[in-house]
Amino acid sequence: MNVIDLHCDTASLLLERNEVLKKNSLKVDIERLQKGEALAQFFAMYIDSKKVESSFEYCVTMLDNFKEELAVNSNTISLCQNYDDLMLAQEEHKIGAFLTIEEGEAIEGDIEKLRYFKKQGISLMTITWNYENALGYSNFEWKDQYKGLKKKGFEVVEEMNTLKMLIDVSHLSDAGFEDVVAHSKAPVVATHSNSRAMTPHPRNLSDKMLKTLANKGGITGINFFNNFLVEGELKDKLQISTLDEMLRHIKHIRDVAGIEVLGLGSDFDGIPNPVEIEDCSQMFKLSDALLSNGFSTDEVEKIFYGNSLRVIKDVL
């Protein structure tokens, strides 16, 4: 079954560890994406702004490095910025690669830098990561959940709509989420967030937020990080993320907000714990589990790629 995964951190590890995209020691590479029937993979330029001198410069370096990898492997993977690009890649039997930024501080509060990244192939940006930035506040902890977008954040939402970029509300405070959804003229996405009712972590989405996201035409990508999946306390940081836990979240989100709001956002190469789906070649384990638990083929196809494809077509 075709797969669109809305989030992985592979690009940052390629740079940090001097790995390559075709075949590597990570969870995502071209060979495994092919084996896993990937239609498209969203590759995040992840930045920890407290560990770099300039978030913008570091993002540019990472982006340049990743685009070199795409060029080397242009016979099997293609940079995509919209629905038509992805359909062409599919016709050519290539994987579609969508490039994203995980940490709005990459633009350093400068709209011109946002426009620069759009021209360089970035199709989506996460407004915040785990820290407050020039755009808004993080949901890393509960304390900032009631703080909304800053003035520059509203400007960025408007400009991303104009540029036809996807706005990612994973990592954004609850109030920031509400501001984005209220002010964006296009559907928004939470690329890698689960259900807060199932696992009460501030990074997950409440039932109200899931319904709001669905009403906006957006989607949330199921995240494989154990901390966002488990029922109760983690036994240890390396507790395996299981298919049963994923099913628990998927069933709840479907029941609360409908099948149309569900997608996949593995967070491969950004999470430390083992996963029952060991890497991107094994997504079939989840589709098999869903089909065995009462989901129809049509529903599974929507989760695996159909809903994401709709949003790509609607926004990009």
Side-chain angles (χ1 to χ4, degrees), residues 185-212:
K185 297 179 179 66
V188 302
V189 298
T191 55
H192 55 306
S193 297
N194 297 335
S195 162
R196 194 178 291 174
M198 293 294 95
T199 301
H201 192 287
R203 268 281 284 108
N204 286 337
L205 302 176
S206 69
D207 287 355
K208 179 185 176 183
M209 294 164 78
L210 287 165
K211 291 174 185 176
T212 301

Side-chain angles (χ1 to χ4, degrees), residues 127-128 135-137 144-158 161 167-169 172-188 208-209 212-213 216:
I127 299 296
T128 60
L135 311 182
Y137 299 86
D144 288 335
Q145 293 288 29
Y146 300 103
K147 297 178 181 178
L149 288 181
K150 298 180 180 180
K151 180 182 178 182
K152 185 60 67 173
F154 285 107
E155 292 175 15
V156 164
V157 166
E158 183 176 340
N161 282 167
I167 302 168
D168 183 11
V169 293
L172 186 61
S173 66
D174 288 11
F177 170 96
E178 295 295 340
D179 284 341
V180 169
V181 171
H183 287 81
S184 176
K185 297 179 179 66
V188 302
K208 179 185 176 183
M209 294 164 78
T212 301
L213 192 65
K216 187 77 177 185

Side-chain angles (χ1 to χ4, degrees), residues 254-272:
R254 176 199 60 186
D255 293 346
V256 165
I259 197 72
E260 306 285 344
V261 79
L262 279 156
L264 301 175
S266 69
D267 212 354
F268 275 139
D269 294 325
I271 54 177

